[in-house]
Amino acid sequence: MALHVELLQHTGDPEKIVSAAAKLCYSSAGITDILDGLDAEGVGRFLTMLMEMGHESPIEHVSFTFGIEGVSRALLAQITRHRIASYSVKSQRYVKEGQFEFVTPPAIKADETACALFTKSMADAQKTYNSLADILSEKYFAENMAQGMPEKKARNQAEKKAIEDARFVLPNACETKMIVTMNARSLMNFFQHRCCSRAQWEIQALANEMLRLVREVAPTLFAFAGPSCVAGPCPEGKMSCGKAAEMRKTYLKEN
């Protein structure tokens, strides 16, 4: 299943809000007139000042909400390490995976033998999941009925309880969906780590698409967003890809 990302919502006029927050820090303006003078030139001036000073707290005042699908449970484990964010994820506890979609790594897809083996393993996982869910569902249904529970309720509760355990056989490749909200400062940090060429391919693709979307609504704010080497030295040390100049060219060209 292909990656699909949408920017569902964001703080209105995000660059102006960030500029107003910065203006409050560095001027005597009051709350009632904090937005005065913040035309395109004023906004650009304050955003440039923030980037030059490394003053990041004002950008926390704007947030961006993404709808994401076509990603694996393996990616879910990575993205939730970014803790200053909000996540709502499709539940494998409450949603039965009747025929789960899955994400195939490019290297596997490119090899006919590997792809066939991988696809078979996904089919086997689905078959095992279905069998486990059926076996456990019947077991719990019988127990519920023995306790005098109405048949419809007994069946519904039995299936829910069954898939709680059957899901343990599902692979990391299993596709999931999520809604993610981050403020701009958290997004900057996310891009620094996940746009890096050393990031795992799936989350790097996600980060690049999220960056493309936020640049459409806040181009100045995210002008220098991307891997750490875009706006400064590479922090990877001996693990560096050695392509900082190439990365700067790629990410700054996209502005």
Side-chain angles (χ1 to χ4, degrees):
M1 187 172 184
L3 169 68
H4 178 67
V5 188
E6 292 186 18
L7 180 57
L8 300 178
Q9 190 60 269
H10 60 83
T11 302
D13 209 346
E15 296 189 335
K16 193 170 186 178
I17 293 298
V18 171
S19 299
K23 180 179 178 180
L24 186 67
C25 295
Y26 298 106
S27 76
S28 58
I31 296 300
T32 56
D33 58 355
I34 194 66
L35 295 176
D36 292 350
L38 286 181
D39 52 14
E41 183 179 348
V43 168
R45 182 173 66 253
F46 275 107
L47 290 180
T48 299
M49 178 181 68
L50 288 180
M51 288 185 284
E52 290 178 347
M53 296 179 65
H55 186 186
E56 297 182 335
S57 63
I59 70 175
E60 294 180 12
H61 293 289
V62 298
S63 62
F64 301 80
T65 298
F66 303 87
I68 301 168
E69 61 184 0
V71 294
S72 69
R73 300 289 293 196
L75 180 140
L76 175 62
Q78 296 184 78
I79 195 171
T80 50
R81 293 178 64 187
H82 296 269
R83 292 181 290 276
I84 305 178
S86 298
Y87 302 95
S88 295
V89 183
K90 174 187 172 185
S91 174
Q92 289 183 333
R93 183 184 181 194
Y94 294 103
V95 180
K96 187 175 182 179
E97 296 286 3
Q99 180 57 61
F100 70 84
E101 300 283 350
F102 55 88
V103 176
T104 305
I108 292 178
K109 187 178 293 185
D111 186 287
E112 184 177 350
T113 302
C115 189
L117 181 61
F118 184 83
T119 302
K120 181 180 182 301
S121 73
M122 295 299 106
D124 289 343
Q126 180 72 72
K127 183 177 179 180
T128 303
Y129 171 83
N130 292 343
S131 296
L132 287 172
D134 290 342
I135 291 168
L136 293 174
S137 183
E138 290 305 315
K139 173 181 180 292
Y140 292 133
F141 175 67
E143 292 176 355
N144 291 343
M145 291 296 290
Q147 294 172 11
M149 192 178 293
E151 183 176 351
K152 183 176 181 180
K153 183 177 181 181
R155 180 64 69 187
N156 289 339
Q157 288 198 4
E159 182 174 278
K160 174 184 173 296
K161 193 172 180 180
I163 64 176
E164 284 184 354
D165 291 338
R167 63 181 169 154
F168 277 74
V169 78
L170 293 173
N172 272 338
C174 189
E175 186 266 349
T176 192
K177 302 173 178 64
M178 67 186 81
I179 289 179
V180 178
T181 300
M182 293 185 186
N183 67 45
R185 190 176 191 180
S186 293
L187 271 175
M188 291 290 195
N189 177 265
F190 176 72
F191 295 144
Q192 286 173 356
H193 289 281
R194 304 304 185 172
C195 290
C196 175
S197 63
R198 294 194 63 244
Q200 185 260 353
W201 64 267
E202 187 181 19
I203 200 166
Q204 184 184 27
L206 172 62
N208 284 334
E209 182 61 10
M210 290 167 66
L211 176 55
R212 183 188 69 79
L213 290 171
V214 296
R215 276 182 168 167
E216 290 181 355
V217 297
T220 304
L221 178 59
F222 291 100
F224 295 96
S228 298
C229 61
V230 167
C234 174
E236 296 293 324
K238 292 182 180 180
M239 302 297 289
S240 174
C241 69
K243 300 178 180 178
E246 181 180 327
M247 296 297 280
R248 291 189 194 104
K249 183 179 180 181
T250 297
Y251 283 89
L252 295 181
K253 182 178 64 177
E254 294 177 356
N255 293 327

